[in-house]
mmCIF file of all heavy atoms in Angstrom:
data_model
loop_
_atom_site.group_PDB
_atom_site.id
_atom_site.type_symbol
_atom_site.label_atom_id
_atom_site.label_comp_id
_atom_site.label_asym_id
_atom_site.label_seq_id
_atom_site.Cartn_x
_atom_site.Cartn_y
_atom_site.Cartn_z
ATOM 1 N N TYR A 1 21.502 13.151 -53.094
ATOM 2 C CA TYR A 1 22.003 12.818 -54.417
ATOM 3 C C TYR A 1 23.493 13.098 -54.440
ATOM 4 O O TYR A 1 24.040 13.780 -53.551
ATOM 5 C CB TYR A 1 21.328 13.720 -55.484
ATOM 6 C CG TYR A 1 19.907 13.308 -55.829
ATOM 7 C CD1 TYR A 1 18.873 13.625 -54.990
ATOM 8 C CD2 TYR A 1 19.670 12.662 -57.030
ATOM 9 C CE1 TYR A 1 17.557 13.265 -55.322
ATOM 10 C CE2 TYR A 1 18.343 12.308 -57.386
ATOM 11 C CZ TYR A 1 17.306 12.620 -56.523
ATOM 12 O OH TYR A 1 16.017 12.253 -56.845
ATOM 13 N N ARG A 2 24.159 12.644 -55.470
ATOM 14 C CA ARG A 2 25.572 12.973 -55.629
ATOM 15 C C ARG A 2 25.909 13.124 -57.093
ATOM 16 O O ARG A 2 25.229 12.579 -57.961
ATOM 17 C CB ARG A 2 26.464 11.928 -54.975
ATOM 18 C CG ARG A 2 26.508 10.567 -55.737
ATOM 19 C CD ARG A 2 27.404 9.600 -54.969
ATOM 20 N NE ARG A 2 27.593 8.375 -55.737
ATOM 21 C CZ ARG A 2 28.274 7.319 -55.251
ATOM 22 N NH1 ARG A 2 28.768 7.325 -54.007
ATOM 23 N NH2 ARG A 2 28.450 6.273 -55.994
ATOM 24 N N GLN A 3 26.952 13.909 -57.352
ATOM 25 C CA GLN A 3 27.375 14.119 -58.740
ATOM 26 C C GLN A 3 28.918 14.128 -58.741
ATOM 27 O O GLN A 3 29.518 15.005 -58.113
ATOM 28 C CB GLN A 3 26.829 15.408 -59.324
ATOM 29 C CG GLN A 3 27.107 15.564 -60.781
ATOM 30 C CD GLN A 3 26.269 16.654 -61.439
ATOM 31 O OE1 GLN A 3 25.726 17.510 -60.770
ATOM 32 N NE2 GLN A 3 26.157 16.613 -62.763
ATOM 33 N N ALA A 4 29.476 13.182 -59.458
ATOM 34 C CA ALA A 4 30.916 13.104 -59.639
ATOM 35 C C ALA A 4 31.289 13.867 -60.902
ATOM 36 O O ALA A 4 30.461 14.004 -61.807
ATOM 37 C CB ALA A 4 31.374 11.668 -59.695
ATOM 38 N N PRO A 5 32.535 14.310 -61.025
ATOM 39 C CA PRO A 5 32.953 15.051 -62.221
ATOM 40 C C PRO A 5 32.714 14.235 -63.499
ATOM 41 O O PRO A 5 33.082 13.045 -63.593
ATOM 42 C CB PRO A 5 34.458 15.263 -61.994
ATOM 43 C CG PRO A 5 34.614 15.268 -60.505
ATOM 44 C CD PRO A 5 33.601 14.247 -60.001
ATOM 45 N N GLY A 6 32.075 14.845 -64.448
ATOM 46 C CA GLY A 6 31.789 14.199 -65.743
ATOM 47 C C GLY A 6 30.657 13.196 -65.712
ATOM 48 O O GLY A 6 30.438 12.491 -66.736
ATOM 49 N N LYS A 7 29.964 13.088 -64.601
ATOM 50 C CA LYS A 7 28.871 12.123 -64.494
ATOM 51 C C LYS A 7 27.584 12.857 -64.174
ATOM 52 O O LYS A 7 27.557 13.968 -63.697
ATOM 53 C CB LYS A 7 29.181 11.075 -63.408
ATOM 54 C CG LYS A 7 30.362 10.157 -63.764
ATOM 55 C CD LYS A 7 30.478 9.056 -62.783
ATOM 56 C CE LYS A 7 31.605 8.087 -63.185
ATOM 57 N NZ LYS A 7 31.729 6.943 -62.183
ATOM 58 N N GLU A 8 26.465 12.144 -64.413
ATOM 59 C CA GLU A 8 25.159 12.688 -64.103
ATOM 60 C C GLU A 8 24.862 12.587 -62.571
ATOM 61 O O GLU A 8 25.443 11.731 -61.899
ATOM 62 C CB GLU A 8 24.076 11.977 -64.849
ATOM 63 C CG GLU A 8 24.136 12.192 -66.356
ATOM 64 C CD GLU A 8 22.937 11.573 -67.083
ATOM 65 O OE1 GLU A 8 22.152 10.869 -66.444
ATOM 66 O OE2 GLU A 8 22.844 11.766 -68.292
ATOM 67 N N ARG A 9 24.030 13.452 -62.089
ATOM 68 C CA ARG A 9 23.623 13.387 -60.725
ATOM 69 C C ARG A 9 22.799 12.119 -60.516
ATOM 70 O O ARG A 9 21.973 11.767 -61.301
ATOM 71 C CB ARG A 9 22.791 14.612 -60.373
ATOM 72 C CG ARG A 9 22.515 14.821 -58.890
ATOM 73 C CD ARG A 9 21.891 16.148 -58.595
ATOM 74 N NE ARG A 9 22.768 17.267 -58.903
ATOM 75 C CZ ARG A 9 22.527 18.540 -58.588
ATOM 76 N NH1 ARG A 9 21.395 18.823 -57.931
ATOM 77 N NH2 ARG A 9 23.330 19.496 -58.935
ATOM 78 N N GLU A 10 23.076 11.407 -59.405
ATOM 79 C CA GLU A 10 22.376 10.173 -59.137
ATOM 80 C C GLU A 10 21.855 10.131 -57.697
ATOM 81 O O GLU A 10 22.418 10.766 -56.790
ATOM 82 C CB GLU A 10 23.342 8.958 -59.345
ATOM 83 C CG GLU A 10 24.545 8.944 -58.490
ATOM 84 C CD GLU A 10 25.460 7.738 -58.783
ATOM 85 O OE1 GLU A 10 25.071 6.831 -59.544
ATOM 86 O OE2 GLU A 10 26.559 7.716 -58.245
ATOM 87 N N LEU A 11 20.792 9.352 -57.530
ATOM 88 C CA LEU A 11 20.201 9.229 -56.218
ATOM 89 C C LEU A 11 21.078 8.326 -55.338
ATOM 90 O O LEU A 11 21.422 7.208 -55.735
ATOM 91 C CB LEU A 11 18.810 8.602 -56.338
ATOM 92 C CG LEU A 11 18.077 8.322 -55.001
ATOM 93 C CD1 LEU A 11 17.753 9.644 -54.295
ATOM 94 C CD2 LEU A 11 16.858 7.478 -55.238
ATOM 95 N N VAL A 12 21.343 8.780 -54.150
ATOM 96 C CA VAL A 12 22.049 8.005 -53.145
ATOM 97 C C VAL A 12 21.093 7.303 -52.205
ATOM 98 O O VAL A 12 21.178 6.092 -51.967
ATOM 99 C CB VAL A 12 23.027 8.873 -52.328
ATOM 100 C CG1 VAL A 12 23.752 8.046 -51.272
ATOM 101 C CG2 VAL A 12 24.048 9.586 -53.243
ATOM 102 N N ALA A 13 20.167 8.117 -51.669
ATOM 103 C CA ALA A 13 19.211 7.562 -50.677
ATOM 104 C C ALA A 13 18.039 8.505 -50.496
ATOM 105 O O ALA A 13 18.193 9.727 -50.700
ATOM 106 C CB ALA A 13 19.898 7.327 -49.335
ATOM 107 N N SER A 14 16.921 7.946 -50.128
ATOM 108 C CA SER A 14 15.698 8.723 -49.852
ATOM 109 C C SER A 14 15.045 8.171 -48.606
ATOM 110 O O SER A 14 15.152 6.943 -48.311
ATOM 111 C CB SER A 14 14.686 8.647 -50.999
ATOM 112 O OG SER A 14 15.140 9.382 -52.123
ATOM 113 N N ILE A 15 14.333 9.037 -47.891
ATOM 114 C CA ILE A 15 13.596 8.626 -46.737
ATOM 115 C C ILE A 15 12.282 9.362 -46.694
ATOM 116 O O ILE A 15 12.252 10.595 -46.852
ATOM 117 C CB ILE A 15 14.383 8.854 -45.422
ATOM 118 C CG1 ILE A 15 13.626 8.283 -44.218
ATOM 119 C CG2 ILE A 15 14.776 10.307 -45.225
ATOM 120 C CD1 ILE A 15 14.480 8.209 -42.971
ATOM 121 N N THR A 16 11.189 8.612 -46.532
ATOM 122 C CA THR A 16 9.839 9.249 -46.510
ATOM 123 C C THR A 16 9.573 9.787 -45.090
ATOM 124 O O THR A 16 10.315 9.539 -44.145
ATOM 125 C CB THR A 16 8.760 8.257 -46.894
ATOM 126 O OG1 THR A 16 8.636 7.282 -45.828
ATOM 127 C CG2 THR A 16 9.073 7.579 -48.222
ATOM 128 N N GLY A 17 8.466 10.473 -44.975
ATOM 129 C CA GLY A 17 8.008 10.971 -43.680
ATOM 130 C C GLY A 17 7.738 9.884 -42.693
ATOM 131 O O GLY A 17 7.872 10.069 -41.488
ATOM 132 N N ARG A 18 7.449 8.692 -43.212
ATOM 133 C CA ARG A 18 7.151 7.541 -42.328
ATOM 134 C C ARG A 18 8.403 6.690 -42.055
ATOM 135 O O ARG A 18 8.338 5.684 -41.373
ATOM 136 C CB ARG A 18 6.071 6.660 -42.940
ATOM 137 C CG ARG A 18 4.728 7.336 -43.011
ATOM 138 C CD ARG A 18 3.621 6.362 -43.435
ATOM 139 N NE ARG A 18 2.328 6.976 -43.451
ATOM 140 C CZ ARG A 18 1.191 6.345 -43.705
ATOM 141 N NH1 ARG A 18 1.221 5.112 -43.971
ATOM 142 N NH2 ARG A 18 0.051 6.982 -43.680
ATOM 143 N N GLY A 19 9.544 7.116 -42.684
ATOM 144 C CA GLY A 19 10.766 6.423 -42.403
ATOM 145 C C GLY A 19 11.130 5.352 -43.398
ATOM 146 O O GLY A 19 12.129 4.613 -43.178
ATOM 147 N N THR A 20 10.364 5.198 -44.440
ATOM 148 C CA THR A 20 10.693 4.220 -45.437
ATOM 149 C C THR A 20 11.909 4.718 -46.256
ATOM 150 O O THR A 20 11.946 5.872 -46.647
ATOM 151 C CB THR A 20 9.532 3.986 -46.424
ATOM 152 O OG1 THR A 20 8.397 3.522 -45.667
ATOM 153 C CG2 THR A 20 9.866 2.966 -47.464
ATOM 154 N N THR A 21 12.866 3.834 -46.458
ATOM 155 C CA THR A 21 14.124 4.224 -47.099
ATOM 156 C C THR A 21 14.329 3.502 -48.399
ATOM 157 O O THR A 21 13.900 2.360 -48.583
ATOM 158 C CB THR A 21 15.340 3.998 -46.192
ATOM 159 O OG1 THR A 21 15.362 2.594 -45.813
ATOM 160 C CG2 THR A 21 15.265 4.845 -44.940
ATOM 161 N N VAL A 22 15.035 4.184 -49.312
ATOM 162 C CA VAL A 22 15.430 3.590 -50.586
ATOM 163 C C VAL A 22 16.871 4.030 -50.823
ATOM 164 O O VAL A 22 17.256 5.164 -50.541
ATOM 165 C CB VAL A 22 14.562 4.137 -51.747
ATOM 166 C CG1 VAL A 22 15.114 3.656 -53.085
ATOM 167 C CG2 VAL A 22 13.114 3.681 -51.606
ATOM 168 N N TYR A 23 17.693 3.093 -51.347
ATOM 169 C CA TYR A 23 19.098 3.359 -51.591
ATOM 170 C C TYR A 23 19.487 3.033 -53.041
ATOM 171 O O TYR A 23 18.899 2.128 -53.650
ATOM 172 C CB TYR A 23 19.984 2.559 -50.637
ATOM 173 C CG TYR A 23 19.825 2.939 -49.204
ATOM 174 C CD1 TYR A 23 18.914 2.269 -48.361
ATOM 175 C CD2 TYR A 23 20.573 3.937 -48.647
ATOM 176 C CE1 TYR A 23 18.745 2.613 -47.024
ATOM 177 C CE2 TYR A 23 20.432 4.292 -47.314
ATOM 178 C CZ TYR A 23 19.526 3.623 -46.512
ATOM 179 O OH TYR A 23 19.368 3.998 -45.204
ATOM 180 N N GLY A 24 20.479 3.758 -53.541
ATOM 181 C CA GLY A 24 21.029 3.421 -54.816
ATOM 182 C C GLY A 24 21.696 2.043 -54.773
ATOM 183 O O GLY A 24 22.193 1.639 -53.707
#
């Protein structure tokens, strides 16, 4: 995740145990 000044935390990327990925 990432959080910039004055902004909400947002998802950048995820990876499951099987290697499936999701990106912002």
